[in-house]
Amino acid sequence: IQDCDNIDMEEAVKKIGCPIYCLNGMDDDCVKPESGEYIAKTLSSNPNSAFDLIPGADHTWRLFEDETCTVYKDLCNHTIAWIANNVK
């Protein structure tokens, strides 16, 4: 974790050659949506990469409080759709 403070995230993301799918929960209090938005701006140089904010999602995708797993299912659906459209 300490290494995260020493990494230039923008430079690190630019070195990734494959498409990146970045998801962030709108209600995440551990990884703020602004962090995902920052990575998304960096992703603009990486073709087929994308960033999505998931409404109602916290850091654990509400798995511990939503017996129907609605938010988690939304996360899965977003991810499956992105993979289907971007991974060949």
Side-chain angles (χ1 to χ4, degrees), residues 7 9 15 27 37 44 47 49 51 61 66 70-72 74-75 77 80 88:
I7 294 174
M9 187 61 72
K15 292 178 183 177
D27 298 335
E37 290 169 353
S44 64
S49 293
F51 169 69
W61 306 100
D66 179 8
T70 304
V71 173
Y72 186 71
D74 193 26
L75 157 75
N77 289 333
I80 290 167
K88 309 290 183 219

Side-chain angles (χ1 to χ4, degrees), residues 22-26 32-34 36-37 51-55 74 78:
C22 183
L23 286 168
N24 213 154
M26 283 185 166
K32 301 288 185 196
E34 294 82 20
E37 290 169 353
F51 169 69
D52 278 327
L53 277 173
I54 306 299
D74 193 26
H78 276 83

Side-chain angles (χ1 to χ4, degrees), residues 7-15 38-39 41-42 45:
I7 294 174
D8 181 340
M9 187 61 72
E10 187 172 344
E11 288 303 313
V13 169
K14 285 179 181 177
K15 292 178 183 177
Y38 172 76
I39 292 172
K41 288 178 187 172
T42 304
S45 64

